[in-house]
Amino acid sequence: MGPRLLFLLLFICDEIIFGSTEDRTKAVLTLKPNWTPIFTGEAVSLTCSTEGENGNTYYRWEKTDKDSGRADEIRGWERNKMYDISKATETDSGSYTCITDSPASRSNPVSLTVADRPTAKVTVLSPEAPFYPDDKVTLRCDIAEQATWAQYTWYRDRVLIGSNSRSITISLPQEAGQYACSAQRGNPPYSSHWSPNVEISYEALPTATLTVVPQSPVFTGETVTLKCDMGSESGWRYRWYNVDKEIATGAPTYSTEGNTLMIKMAQLSHQGTYKCEGHRDGRPSRSSTSNHVSLNIMGKPTPLISSDRPSPVFTGNTVTLRCGTGQSTGWRFYWYRDTQTSDPVAQTGGDSYSIRSVRVSDGGQYWCRAGRGDPVYITEYSNAVWVNVTDSPIAVVTLLSRWPDIFSGETVTLRCGIQGEQGVDWQYSWYRDGQEMQGSSGPEYNITHADQSHSGNYSCRGTHSRDSQTSQTISVTVLEKPRPVLKGPPQSWLTEGDSVTLSCEVRGSSTGWTFHWYKSAPYRPGLEYVFNGSMGYYVELLSDSSRGAGGSYTLSPAALRHTGVYVCRAERGETAYQTKFSQPHPLWLTGPSPPLVLAVVPNKTQHFTWESFSLSCEGIGNSTGWRLRWFSIFTPEHDRCPFSMTETGSSCRISSASSLGSGVYWCQSESGEQSNPVNITVHTDDVILESPAHPFTEGDPLTLRCRIRYQPSNISADFYRDGTLLHTSSTGEMTIPAVSKSHEGLYKCSNPERGESPESWVAVKVSGLYSGSSPLVPVSVVTALIVIFVVITILLLLYHCKKIKDLRKQTTQRSSPPSSGQQQGSTNHTSNQDQTEAAGSNGAQSDYMPLQRGTTDVYDTINTEYMPLRQETSDVYETLEISHGQSQGNGEEYDDVGS
């Protein structure tokens, strides 16, 4: 059996035999520390003592809950008479009892109450806020829970201060700050929570403000008033000091009333530095010391009068007289002329007097004096100054320009002259619309880049110790930068050999201009870009532009190389002021025998959108480096195909046309030779006029066709030339059997239901090699061409005969008829030829037709003027001309695409 159980049995037997514990000596239970309450975190020790206890005594501990009244064993039998709680918590609260076995005894119950750790609080005992400098403030550290605290700890601005008492007294302003405290008890010390910070601050003492009237210097005999202002507080008594010596109440020559100290009939003895203070019975008991005011006493002053202009003064100017009294203020000034005993001619609040638009009658001798205070204190008379007034010279402004009009961007120079004042070093002032302009004091006023904001009425005046009269105004009007007007022939499509004159003028301004002439060109570095409305293009200065410097530029005779768009620009002045570029004027030159040819397939100038067509350059002679050039309202002049076309060598093809493809196209070689220009129009509406792309020769028939989109033939159409109705057709065609120069013009057609076509220029070239009296092609060149043509014809015939001979030989050697493939090849050739002619211009024969490759067919029905031979191993091209009527084909004639 264990010892603890044995002890329990002995205790029970003892209770039964000897009676209850109340009949014997009880154990004594003590609590240390013995204050109440115990705070959380404190150490607690319970000690159980009984008479007769010895080293073999066992102890058992019980705790009775306050709320339920149930007693629980908290420690069993042990030889430890003490029960320690190192850090008490609220759960440790209750009634404790100890039980001993030898002698058997039960202690009295001891109650233990554990409360939360308390928080200290700083209390201001005195005085009440607000606090002021020199106040003594008493603070106390309070804890709400009643307990015995041994000592207190104080902090100011988180720094420990040397005081252990519950209350402390601090002095302001040096001990102002944030205060906190805590309390301690026990050993080891147990501390309360720190109190919240309490700020002890102070307000400044009421500020005394000292003012003096009048301000220094003060003159002998004046009345001086000093006032000490304390703000809104009341009940103040005032103390006055001069050089740190208090002025006794009732002192001679001083009088006081409230916050005012008055000095009557100031003397030199009153000079010094003054200050004041306020005192009263309440808090705050005093004010701060006021600012210091120095009082300087001087003898009666004599002002000094002066004029801003030496005599003589010009009439119309302003003369300003000034009356100086030194550094003193508060004066009113009196002005006298000719005598000191007269009434003043003027009184002013300031020390100056201005005579505006001075007249001769304003001349004379002037004095001044000043007064201030109440009663008024008057100074002596000033010295005298003479004002001599004479008539002023006249300023004259002139515009230095060789021409009356001024345009935006030009330089404008105005000159100011003073009549009768040569050799005098004048300073000049310039005015526009009456407002002075800064930045120029010389006799000339320059506007380097004039714009319309510089327009106005300008005037000037001169200054040289005195002013001239302001000049009369001169009006300067700055016009918008001009755009010259370019005039040329009313029709842009001209014939080679014509005489063409272009004129350029700046309307409304005909003086001093020199004109320069430009022509459109593909982009390259150094060219100028011209923007006109929605159209932009590059231009280059013509090499012979100087021929048109006077405003007229003549091309005589006009040649194909003159094709292009022309603009002009004018300039004048030493700095070469330039106008804008003129509006563009196109010149499209056509000739009877151009060295280069622009082939258009199909051969027409108007196309519907979404249709396909191609452009290619072909040449005669030694022309190399052919390039297609074009100009449109959408893009500058280019030497490449439009972006919507596919470029192959000197050819451009478009598979689906758009309006962006509209423009004037021509071919040009590296040597400068050009083809006739062709105006290509891609039309978005439903009606176009089909006309050949190249000029017709006099005497040839001309057929024009009116087409409606998706309806190729048999339509009703009206045909016009230069806006005049020529013909009404039910088939959509109009034929001129033999054209002449009189038939040239702008043609169009219309359909009453679908609208009208754009206009196309139809050019007619004269027959033969000459136009007028000027040969277009030298005789030697014609002779050489004829010789070359004969030689080429003979070679071609020999080549042709050899082919026929070979063909017969092959036929003889064969035992069977020609294969279907050969027949089909011949048939295909004829069909392709017919389709090409039909696609050219609805039945009109094409001007350009290359031989087919890879066939042995004989061409007897070709009616072309220029035909390149088949290319096999070289790039040599020969020209063959075959006259009409030699066809050995089927004899069919194509009058209309739809037939």
Side-chain angles (χ1 to χ4, degrees):
M1 182 181 296
R4 297 181 66 178
L5 180 59
L6 179 62
F7 292 152
L8 179 59
L9 293 175
L10 291 175
F11 178 77
I12 294 172
C13 293
D14 184 69
E15 288 289 319
I16 295 172
I17 297 171
F18 297 104
S20 65
T21 58
E22 285 82 357
D23 298 331
R24 295 170 302 182
T25 303
K26 289 185 177 181
V28 178
L29 182 60
T30 59
L31 177 67
K32 185 178 180 181
N34 61 352
W35 49 62
T36 301
I38 298 297
F39 296 114
T40 55
E42 279 192 285
V44 180
S45 180
L46 294 164
T47 303
C48 186
S49 301
T50 184
E51 292 181 5
E53 63 183 356
N54 53 53
N56 293 322
T57 302
Y58 284 81
Y59 301 87
R60 186 170 64 88
W61 296 85
E62 292 181 354
K63 174 188 171 187
T64 303
D65 184 76
K66 288 183 178 181
D67 296 329
S68 63
R70 188 180 67 183
D72 295 319
E73 181 182 74
I74 58 175
R75 194 169 71 188
W77 294 102
E78 290 183 2
R79 289 179 179 178
N80 188 354
K81 62 184 301 181
M82 299 184 67
Y83 184 78
D84 295 324
I85 302 173
S86 60
K87 291 184 178 180
T89 64
E90 291 184 0
T91 59
D92 293 322
S93 296
S95 178
Y96 288 80
T97 304
C98 69
I99 302 169
T100 63
D101 66 334
S102 177
S105 174
R106 177 183 292 271
S107 73
N108 58 300
V110 173
S111 178
L112 175 63
T113 301
V114 181
D116 284 339
R117 183 192 298 259
T119 300
K121 175 185 176 183
V122 175
T123 302
V124 179
L125 297 181
S126 65
E128 293 183 358
F131 308 123
Y132 297 95
D134 300 336
D135 278 350
K136 303 291 185 181
V137 181
T138 299
L139 306 176
R140 186 178 65 196
C141 189
D142 291 333
I143 297 180
E145 290 79 3
Q146 298 298 322
T148 301
W149 299 97
Q151 66 181 13
Y152 296 85
T153 303
W154 290 88
Y155 281 84
R156 178 175 66 243
D157 297 331
R158 298 185 178 182
V159 178
L160 180 67
I161 59 177
S163 177
N164 295 326
S165 61
R166 183 180 180 187
S167 297
I168 60 173
T169 299
I170 61 174
S171 298
L172 299 180
Q174 59 270 21
E175 292 182 318
Q178 299 269 354
Y179 282 82
C181 70
S182 67
Q184 293 83 35
R185 70 180 183 182
N187 187 21
Y190 174 82
S191 180
S192 69
H193 287 299
W194 282 99
S195 70
N197 287 332
V198 173
E199 183 174 5
I200 304 300
S201 60
Y202 61 92
E203 295 181 3
L205 292 172
T207 301
T209 303
L210 180 61
T211 58
V212 60
V213 177
Q215 294 184 356
S216 290
V218 175
F219 303 100
T220 56
E222 279 195 282
T223 298
V224 181
T225 301
L226 296 97
K227 183 174 290 187
C228 192
D229 187 9
M230 303 301 296
S232 60
E233 289 86 358
S234 60
W236 293 100
R237 300 181 300 274
Y238 297 90
R239 295 178 184 176
W240 302 89
Y241 301 86
N242 183 5
V243 195
D244 295 331
K245 182 179 180 181
E246 186 174 357
I247 300 173
T249 302
T253 69
Y254 291 100
S255 65
T256 60
E257 182 178 351
N259 65 342
T260 301
L261 174 68
M262 184 175 293
I263 305 172
K264 294 184 177 180
M265 300 296 293
Q267 303 298 322
L268 294 176
S269 60
H270 292 115
Q271 186 166 279
T273 300
Y274 287 79
K275 63 182 179 180
C276 67
E277 283 182 355
H279 294 264
R280 66 175 186 173
D281 295 333
R283 296 184 65 252
S285 59
R286 70 178 183 87
S287 72
S288 62
T289 302
S290 73
N291 55 303
H292 293 191
V293 172
S294 295
L295 190 62
N296 297 325
I297 310 297
M298 302 177 64
K300 193 171 187 178
T302 299
L304 180 64
I305 190 172
S306 62
S307 172
D308 67 336
R309 298 182 183 277
S311 293
V313 178
F314 294 140
T315 56
N317 289 313
T318 297
V319 178
T320 299
L321 303 177
R322 192 170 302 277
C323 191
T325 58
Q327 297 180 350
S328 57
T329 59
W331 297 99
R332 185 165 185 80
F333 295 85
Y334 306 90
W335 306 90
Y336 304 86
R337 186 178 66 217
D338 295 335
T339 176
Q340 295 182 357
T341 58
S342 63
D343 292 334
V345 295
Q347 298 183 32
T348 60
D351 63 351
S352 63
Y353 168 52
S354 295
I355 308 171
R356 303 185 184 278
S357 298
V358 64
R359 299 167 298 179
V360 174
S361 60
D362 292 322
Q365 192 176 26
Y366 285 81
W367 294 268
C368 72
R369 61 178 181 169
R372 69 181 181 183
D374 185 18
V376 178
Y377 175 82
I378 298 293
T379 67
E380 304 287 355
Y381 280 97
S382 71
N383 60 307
V385 64
W386 281 93
V387 176
N388 184 20
V389 182
T390 61
D391 291 331
S392 61
I394 298 174
V396 178
V397 62
T398 55
L399 175 63
L400 302 182
S401 177
R402 289 178 291 174
W403 32 81
D405 44 20
I406 298 172
F407 293 100
S408 177
E410 285 194 284
T411 298
V412 180
T413 300
L414 301 169
R415 176 172 293 170
C416 188
I418 309 298
Q419 291 183 350
E421 294 290 329
Q422 288 76 15
V424 179
D425 187 16
W426 290 86
Q427 295 292 319
Y428 296 86
S429 300
W430 290 90
Y431 304 85
R432 181 176 67 229
D433 298 329
Q435 299 295 319
E436 185 174 2
M437 297 180 294
Q438 305 297 324
S440 179
S441 60
E444 292 186 355
Y445 184 77
N446 293 302
I447 306 172
T448 54
H449 294 283
D451 57 43
Q452 291 179 305
S453 67
H454 292 110
S455 298
N457 295 314
Y458 287 78
S459 60
C460 68
R461 66 185 302 177
T463 302
H464 176 67
S465 71
R466 56 191 185 277
D467 284 352
S468 71
Q469 295 183 27
T470 301
S471 69
Q472 296 293 324
T473 61
I474 184 171
S475 179
V476 174
T477 301
V478 181
L479 305 174
E480 184 181 356
K481 193 170 189 175
R483 184 187 299 277
V485 177
L486 190 154
K487 294 181 180 179
Q491 178 52 255
S492 297
W493 290 87
L494 305 169
T495 302
E496 188 177 32
D498 291 346
S499 179
V500 180
T501 299
L502 303 176
S503 65
C504 189
E505 66 171 330
V506 179
R507 288 186 175 175
S509 176
S510 59
T511 307
W513 295 107
T514 299
F515 296 89
H516 300 277
W517 296 88
Y518 300 80
K519 182 183 172 187
S520 63
Y523 168 76
R524 66 175 183 270
L527 295 187
E528 294 198 61
Y529 186 76
V530 179
F531 192 79
N532 184 56
S534 61
M535 180 179 178
Y537 44 91
Y538 292 95
V539 295
E540 61 181 342
L541 182 68
L542 295 175
S543 59
D544 59 349
S545 173
S546 58
R547 291 195 299 108
S552 179
Y553 183 76
T554 300
L555 302 172
S556 182
L560 290 179
R561 69 177 184 277
H562 296 130
T563 285
V565 178
Y566 290 78
V567 293
C568 66
R569 183 165 66 180
E571 70 175 36
R572 70 180 182 184
E574 295 179 358
T575 57
Y577 170 77
Q578 293 180 326
T579 67
K580 298 178 182 178
F581 283 96
S582 70
Q583 82 284 3
H585 190 93
L587 294 179
W588 310 120
L589 275 300
T590 61
S593 301
L596 302 174
V597 176
L598 172 61
V600 183
V601 179
N603 183 19
K604 59 182 181 179
T605 59
Q606 294 187 19
H607 304 265
F608 286 121
T609 52
W610 312 114
E611 289 187 331
S612 62
F613 64 91
S614 64
L615 306 169
S616 60
C617 293
E618 299 179 3
I620 303 174
N622 295 324
S623 299
T624 59
W626 308 332
R627 300 294 298 181
L628 179 73
R629 298 180 72 163
W630 63 289
F631 189 96
S632 78
I633 63 173
F634 301 107
T635 58
E637 182 174 325
H638 275 277
D639 57 1
R640 301 185 65 85
C641 294
F643 71 91
S644 58
M645 293 187 174
T646 302
E647 182 172 0
T648 304
S650 59
S651 300
C652 297
R653 177 175 177 81
I654 184 169
S655 59
S656 180
S658 71
S659 58
L660 296 177
S662 298
V664 177
Y665 295 78
W666 68 95
C667 295
Q668 185 167 324
S669 68
E670 291 180 351
S671 60
E673 294 176 304
Q674 293 185 199
S675 71
N676 286 330
V678 176
N679 185 16
I680 299 295
T681 301
V682 179
H683 196 39
T684 59
D685 291 339
D686 293 339
V687 181
I688 62 171
L689 175 69
E690 289 189 343
S691 62
H694 295 285
F696 274 79
T697 304
E698 280 186 325
D700 286 350
L702 168 63
T703 298
L704 302 178
R705 292 179 175 83
C706 195
R707 275 190 60 197
I708 294 179
R709 191 189 297 266
Y710 312 126
Q711 186 176 339
S713 62
N714 297 327
I715 64 171
S716 174
D718 295 329
F719 291 85
Y720 298 82
R721 184 182 69 225
D722 298 331
T724 302
L725 178 64
L726 293 181
H727 179 69
T728 299
S729 170
S730 60
T731 63
E733 293 187 2
M734 183 188 81
T735 300
I736 301 174
V739 296
S740 64
K741 287 294 287 185
S742 63
H743 290 112
E744 278 190 339
L746 289 170
Y747 285 78
K748 68 178 180 180
C749 69
S750 67
N751 177 271
E753 296 178 357
R754 306 296 289 274
E756 66 179 22
S757 71
E759 292 182 323
S760 285
W761 175 257
V762 174
V764 178
K765 60 184 178 181
V766 298
S767 59
L769 296 176
Y770 301 97
S771 176
S773 60
S774 300
L776 295 179
V777 182
V779 175
S780 60
V781 175
V782 174
T783 303
L785 290 175
I786 293 174
V787 173
I788 293 172
F789 176 79
V790 171
V791 173
I792 293 175
T793 302
I794 294 172
L795 292 175
L796 184 60
L797 290 175
L798 291 174
Y799 176 80
H800 180 64
C801 291
K802 183 177 181 301
K803 289 293 183 178
I804 293 175
K805 182 178 179 180
D806 293 342
L807 179 62
R808 289 175 179 174
K809 183 178 180 180
Q810 293 174 5
T811 304
T812 302
Q813 292 174 351
R814 294 176 182 175
S815 59
S816 60
S819 66
S820 60
Q822 292 174 331
Q823 293 175 354
Q824 183 67 31
S826 176
T827 304
N828 287 345
H829 164 67
T830 304
S831 175
N832 289 340
Q833 176 185 348
D834 295 344
Q835 291 175 4
T836 303
E837 291 175 350
S841 58
N842 296 348
Q845 292 170 340
S846 173
D847 288 343
Y848 308 96
M849 181 182 297
L851 288 174
Q852 290 186 342
R853 298 182 182 181
T855 177
T856 59
D857 294 343
V858 179
Y859 290 81
D860 295 326
T861 60
I862 301 175
N863 297 321
T864 60
E865 294 179 358
Y866 305 99
M867 178 187 298
L869 289 176
R870 181 180 62 181
Q871 183 179 0
E872 294 180 347
T873 59
S874 67
D875 293 333
V876 178
Y877 288 84
E878 299 179 356
T879 304
L880 172 65
E881 180 176 342
I882 302 177
S883 62
H884 296 279
Q886 296 177 345
S887 174
Q888 297 180 4
N890 56 17
E892 292 183 1
E893 190 170 336
Y894 294 89
D895 296 329
D896 191 8
V897 174
S899 62

